[in-house]
Structure formats: C-alpha cells, structure tokens
Amino acid sequence: MNATALSRRPGLVREIALLVGLFVAYRLGRLAIAGHDDLAIANAWHVWDVERVLHLPDEETLQSWLLQWPDVLKAANWFYVTVHFPVTLAFLAWGWLRRPPEEYRWARRLIITLTAFAMVLHTAMPLAPPRMLTSLGFVDTMAVFGPSAYDGDAATVANQFAAMPSLHVGWALLVAVVVIRTARSRWRWAIIAHPVLTTSVVVVTANHYWVDALVALLLLGFVLLITPRPDGVPPSRTWQWLTHAVGWRPAQASETRNTGDDVGRSEPEDGSTVTAIESEGATPSTRAVTSPPRPRSPADSGL
C-alpha cells in the first residue's frame, strides 16, 4: 500500500469506537428480548415445522450420530466459542492494514449493516436454539462436553434467544465473500472453509437450525445489494461485480456497447440480415433449560 493510501485510512481510534458502539448496541438488543422464553420456545417449534416442510436434514439425527465421537463435539464447541469474534476482528485488522481504504470501508459497512438487520430480526422474532428443545432429543453439547459460551462472564454478553439469523454464519460468509473478491492470492479460496465449518459447527452443537444459516445467507445477499461498493458502481450491479472476480460469465456473455456503459447484447442495425447473436460473435447453555412437550392444539385435547 502506497503512502497516499495509508494517509487515507480511517483513524484507528474512530474504528475502535465504532466496534465498541456495535458491541453496546448488541447488548441493548439482548436486553430488549430478555424474558421472552415462552415466545422463543414457541417460535422454535414453528421453525422446526418449516424445516420439515422444506425437507431439510434433521439436525437431531445428525447430532445423535456424532455423539459417538465426543471429542469431535468438544472440538466443535471450542470452534464455536473461540473462532467467531477473533477471526472477524482479524479480518477487520487485515482490511485496515493491508487493503485499500475504500475496500476496508466497504467491508466495515457490510458488517455493521448485516449486524443491524440481524438485531432487528432477533428482536422481532426471539428464537430458542435447538439445544433447548430437549423433548426432541437434542443435547446441549457445550453443557455436557464443554466449553460453554454461556458460563460466567460470557453469559452476560451472549444472547441465547438470537438464533435467527445466525451471526456466526452471517459473519463467516461475509468474510469469505470480501476476501475472495478483494484479495489476489490464489490461496484466498481457502477462506471458503470458514463458513462451511462454521455452519457445520453451529448445527451439530445444536446452537442453530439450518434455516438460521439460510436466512443469514439471504440477509447477506440483501445487504450486498444495498451497500455502496468501493468502486462507485451502483449496488444493483453487485452480483455482476462479484462474479467477475472468479471469471464466471453467463452462457451468452454480455458485451459493453461502444456508445456507453450499459451492459447488454449488441443489436444489428436496421435493415441488416444478421441476427443479434451473429452480430456480437457470441459463443456458447449451561443454564438448565428444558423445553416442555409441544403444546397440544384444541383439536388434540377434544375441545
């Protein structure tokens, strides 16, 4: 990075203040949904039903299979507790130190915007994680095998009813997208392991449902579309900009017209017998929480 770019980096004190503000906002969001245990459990049953309708894999069956290897689940607990925040902070530090200021600001805006929207959903829909649905057979692996994210001081920070969307998955996906799009090394593709491992860990430890990860993916896609990009191109063309990094293009590649920046197929002049395709030359918790049995409907009770 040259001296000019270094001089345009955001101030370090300001960046730290922004991160502290984000942490405080998260704490306030946790307080906003405190005491909604019954609603969070009820929402969990609704999510479980939606997943069955979508024919998603059964999280409890997967966890039961892995219970044969307690060391694997203990390693997953360590990953869940220790990787989430450090990797994200390291990502921001890398961006501040090594990437152009515009790219760093873009990444920082993405994280703040994604977290803000996630907090709105957390508040609007408190959701108990699968480990609280003990009547379905889920095991709280952190309480059984350790370590736990909800012991001691950590319990005052963690939001146990903020399962949807999964910020663990959302931040991991965001880090992968930004690194792949902005880094130049061919080793950047190794970052894909981060969201893959994160998604696997949050499910097998019964901290999240598959749907939590899916909503995080959709929310990140939305945030990418509305967040101004570092090169000034309208956010509506973000998908084209992202796919350009991997050299992927549609089967019928679009070409830029000579008369402007609009992207589209070249059209033949009036009166020409050449088709459009020919003209362009295209080739193809430790906290003890036991979920009650599922509430029975009036029809089930004979009322």
Side-chain angles (χ1 to χ4, degrees):
M1 189 179 298
N2 57 41
T4 302
L6 287 173
S7 66
R8 291 187 289 112
R9 282 187 307 183
L12 182 58
V13 174
R14 176 175 176 270
E15 295 305 300
I16 293 175
L18 280 173
L19 292 177
V20 172
L22 189 63
F23 172 80
V24 171
Y26 180 83
R27 289 281 288 114
L28 293 175
R30 180 180 182 273
L31 293 175
I33 66 174
H36 290 74
D37 300 40
D38 292 340
L39 176 59
I41 292 291
N43 286 337
W45 284 112
H46 294 319
V47 168
W48 182 259
D49 286 341
V50 168
E51 289 197 332
R52 305 294 70 79
V53 171
L54 296 176
H55 301 290
L56 294 177
D58 188 331
E59 296 94 339
E60 193 277 328
T61 299
L62 177 59
Q63 188 193 61
S64 295
W65 177 67
L66 281 174
L67 284 172
Q68 303 174 73
W69 301 280
D71 289 342
V72 173
L73 289 175
K74 187 172 183 178
N77 293 338
W78 276 107
F79 187 99
Y80 185 85
V81 171
T82 63
V83 171
H84 179 50
F85 282 106
V87 166
T88 306
L89 291 175
F91 162 73
L92 288 172
W94 168 76
W96 190 82
L97 288 168
R98 304 290 297 174
R99 304 308 304 161
E102 294 79 10
E103 290 183 0
Y104 168 75
R105 289 188 177 93
W106 175 63
R108 184 241 288 143
R109 282 194 297 265
L110 288 176
I111 287 184
I112 292 175
T113 308
L114 176 65
T115 304
F117 277 115
M119 287 171 55
V120 171
L121 291 177
H122 293 164
T123 304
M125 184 182 174
L127 180 64
R131 57 187 168 79
M132 293 186 180
L133 299 183
T134 54
S135 59
L136 286 175
F138 282 106
V139 174
D140 186 342
T141 62
M142 291 189 295
V144 174
F145 304 111
S148 175
Y150 308 111
D151 273 339
D153 294 337
T156 65
V157 178
N159 183 349
Q160 298 195 60
F161 294 143
M164 179 182 293
S166 168
L167 272 179
H168 273 72
V169 175
W171 284 6
L173 287 168
L174 187 154
V175 168
V177 167
V178 174
V179 169
I180 290 173
R181 184 58 186 89
T182 62
R184 296 296 175 262
S185 170
R186 58 185 171 182
W187 294 104
R188 71 189 188 277
W189 292 100
I191 196 63
I192 293 176
H194 182 40
V196 171
L197 280 173
T198 299
T199 302
S200 302
V201 162
V202 300
V203 170
V204 301
T205 58
N207 280 292
H208 287 282
Y209 309 87
W210 293 115
V211 167
D212 299 338
L214 178 60
V215 172
L217 173 62
L218 295 175
L219 185 59
L220 175 60
F222 173 71
V223 169
L224 284 167
L225 288 176
I226 66 171
T227 304
R229 295 201 337 239
D231 55 7
V233 177
S236 60
R237 290 170 60 182
T238 293
W239 174 249
Q240 178 188 2
W241 178 72
L242 289 171
T243 54
H244 177 72
V246 300
W248 181 90
R249 303 181 73 184
Q252 291 185 345
S254 59
E255 301 293 339
T256 302
R257 296 191 183 102
N258 295 328
T259 56
D261 295 331
D262 294 335
V263 176
R265 295 172 58 189
S266 302
E267 298 295 336
E269 297 180 357
D270 292 340
S272 172
T273 59
V274 180
T275 64
I277 294 179
E278 292 172 337
S279 68
E280 65 185 29
T283 57
S285 149
T286 324
R287 184 177 67 141
V289 178
T290 302
S291 65
R294 184 164 189 168
R296 300 173 63 189
S297 65
D300 294 334
S301 59
L303 299 178

